[in-house]
Amino acid sequence: MRLKIAVLAGDGIGPEVTKQATNILRAVAEMGGHEFTFVEGLIGGTAITETGSPLPTATLDAALECDAVLLGAVGDNKFNALPPDKRPEAGLLQIRQALGGFANLRPSIAYTALSASSPLRPEVTKDVDILFVRELLGGLYFGAPRWWDRNSNEAINTMRYTRDEVVRVARVAFELAGNRRQKVTSVDKANVLEVSQLWRATVTEVAKDYPSVTLEHQLVDSMAMHIMNIPRNFDVVLTENLFGDILSDEAGVITGSLGMLPSATIGGAVNLYEPVHGSAPDIAGTGKANPLGAILTAAMILRHSANLEQDAKAVEAAVNKVLDAGYRTADIARGQQPGQTPVSTQEMGKLVHQALAESIDRRQAMHAV
Ligand SMILES: NC(=O)C1=CN([C@@H]2O[C@H](COP(=O)(O)OP(=O)(O)OC[C@H]3O[C@@H](n4cnc5c(N)ncnc54)[C@H](O)[C@@H]3O)[C@@H](O)[C@H]2O)C=CC1
Ligand SMILES: CC(C)CC(=O)C(=O)O
Ligand SMILES: [Mg+2]
């Protein structure tokens, strides 16, 4: 199997966690006899500093020639005074748009070993496995007009969706639900927003093509509460761009930390893979960043861009094994429980690598018998 991956490490903890994710991909390639090549590119604040642009043309050109893009995170407080279209985050929105992926898959899984890391009670988080399908190219982040008129002290952003944009992402959600627990919860604010009324009517129409999947609608405000109260009730959660951004971060509480959450964006010319978290400037350079979200993102590359399902599962199992053995980065080391060992970003990456190597050795030994 050959795979060319653009690695855009970005800012803050982006390079720290991305390094651990690429180490895992290299290990999978080596152990499975695959040829993975990595092409590095600048994005975000580091790209602004070096080139003046948050998404240099060279980065975009290289990304478009790859089979997958792995992005760390962007964002640097030193650019906070810049207007949104000049900030590091603009580079991320631009590359999302250019790659064309519209369905951002964000799994949120409650790991048994981490039940004490979540502030939620273990009986609430037990067996939770939610898949957010977040529309990624529409809504407030991309709608025009958008401006801030400093003279009149007025600003505007536009939430806009077309029926076709809703249909295509809804189809992804229903298809995925068909292979899971057959339920889609569509989130909107149809009691107030016309865009949400279009969203709800369109999703209801698409649902008719998937009679085995149950559709429910939830308003986003009460949904924010239900996710914390009864997360087990949800299977696939379908949202527009902003609502999905917020609710999927909230779901980090179920898992124990934002640092545990991976994502894959599909449907475009090249799939884009990013952990859900940002550049975390508060812990950048301290060795405290949890690399597991990025490593689980690498597993999603194996699944969605390389068709290596068995290897994706092996990476996920290796993460589980390391958590079961009690190893914890600071964000998931709630209250220093007995049997836990604190580890750095790099140590966590190495432990997953070791667990993966052991499981692949066992698999190969079984095949050899
Ligand atoms: N995809 C991206 O590149 C994203 C970029 N951002 C940018 O990141 C910057 C910081 O934004 P925040 O709101 O602070 O969000 P953030 O996700 O960077 O951090 C929120 C909190 O979670 C913690 N955290 C995040 N990832 C972690 C990890 N892997 N391990 C341990 N702890 C982790 C941070 O230390 C912080 O306390 C901003 O410039 C923002 O625009 C924010 C979200 C997504
Ligand atoms: C442009 C971003 C910083 C948006 C974001 O927070 C995300 O996609 O998770
Ligand atoms: Mg976000």
Side-chain angles (χ1 to χ4, degrees):
M1 168 80 211
R2 283 183 170 186
L3 199 69
K4 199 168 165 194
I5 304 166
V7 181
L8 316 181
D11 306 319
I13 64 168
E16 300 166 37
V17 297
T18 309
K19 183 162 185 250
Q20 302 312 317
T22 51
N23 282 348
I24 293 297
L25 290 170
R26 282 198 175 88
V28 169
E30 201 176 307
M31 291 183 261
H34 307 300
E35 195 184 314
F36 291 178
T37 46
F38 299 90
V39 181
E40 291 187 7
L42 293 170
I43 194 164
T46 43
I48 298 176
T49 305
E50 291 205 21
T51 71
S53 160
L55 179 64
T57 311
T59 300
L60 182 55
D61 289 349
L64 283 166
E65 283 190 359
C66 286
D67 304 304
V69 177
L70 171 64
L71 192 140
V74 296
D76 185 331
N77 291 335
K78 80 176 181 221
F79 298 110
N80 283 357
L82 293 178
D85 64 335
K86 302 272 184 302
R87 287 174 57 126
E89 292 82 350
L92 178 55
L93 294 181
Q94 286 162 16
I95 199 165
R96 284 178 179 171
Q97 196 167 39
L99 297 179
F102 55 85
N104 179 220
L105 315 184
R106 295 188 158 191
S108 187
I109 294 170
Y111 294 89
T112 315
L114 291 185
S115 60
S117 301
S118 171
L120 301 177
R121 294 189 311 281
E123 60 270 29
V124 172
T125 57
K126 190 171 182 302
D127 298 331
V128 171
D129 178 354
I130 301 176
L131 177 62
F132 289 90
V133 178
R134 167 190 173 195
E135 201 293 326
L136 203 66
L137 295 184
L140 278 172
Y141 295 178
F142 290 96
R146 53 182 302 160
W147 43 257
W148 174 19
D149 182 346
R150 286 170 174 76
N151 296 321
S152 67
N153 273 326
E154 193 185 351
I156 187 162
N157 286 99
T158 302
M159 185 187 269
R160 175 183 175 277
Y161 272 104
T162 64
R163 181 181 174 281
D164 287 353
E165 286 168 339
V166 183
V167 168
R168 64 183 185 174
V169 72
R171 288 208 180 282
V172 171
F174 282 99
E175 295 287 340
L176 290 167
N179 294 320
R180 292 169 51 95
R181 299 193 309 282
Q182 316 253 343
K183 180 174 172 187
V184 170
T185 303
S186 175
V187 178
D188 60 43
K189 189 73 185 170
N191 52 343
V192 179
L193 302 174
E194 284 77 4
V195 172
S196 282
Q197 291 187 327
L198 167 80
W199 181 277
R200 190 176 280 217
T202 307
V203 174
T204 305
E205 204 184 308
V206 171
K208 291 183 186 142
D209 291 339
Y210 301 88
S212 64
V213 178
T214 306
L215 168 66
E216 71 172 11
H217 300 281
Q218 288 285 351
L219 297 171
V220 63
D221 44 358
S222 53
M223 182 66 181
M225 176 198 63
H226 293 317
I227 284 180
M228 293 294 97
N229 255 345
I230 43 166
R232 221 180 2 257
N233 276 14
F234 303 109
D235 176 16
V236 172
V237 175
L238 169 65
T239 74
E240 65 86 52
N241 201 345
L242 174 67
F243 298 162
D245 191 1
I246 297 168
L247 293 180
S248 57
D249 264 33
E250 187 193 9
V253 174
I254 296 164
T255 301
S257 167
L258 194 46
M260 291 294 303
L261 303 179
S263 92
T265 302
I266 61 171
V270 183
N271 288 352
L272 172 65
Y273 299 87
E274 347 165 27
V276 167
H277 61 75
S279 60
D282 54 338
I283 56 164
T286 65
K288 286 188 183 159
N290 185 343
L292 296 182
I295 288 173
L296 292 166
T297 299
M300 293 187 91
I301 297 183
L302 298 171
R303 174 168 295 124
H304 295 282
S305 283
N307 205 18
L308 293 172
E309 178 63 26
Q310 210 179 6
D311 291 302
K313 284 210 170 92
V315 172
E316 290 160 352
V319 167
N320 252 309
K321 193 172 173 201
V322 168
L323 293 173
D324 285 344
Y327 294 105
R328 300 284 185 268
T329 44
D331 57 318
I332 47 174
R334 195 167 285 267
Q336 284 293 316
Q337 309 278 326
Q340 287 188 3
T341 311
V343 292
S344 67
T345 310
Q346 200 184 346
E347 287 164 340
M348 185 60 108
K350 273 194 183 153
L351 286 158
V352 176
H353 184 287
Q354 259 168 29
L356 178 68
E358 282 161 20
S359 83
I360 292 184
D361 276 355
R362 263 199 313 278
R363 194 166 86 198
Q364 284 168 349
M366 272 168 64
H367 280 302
V369 171

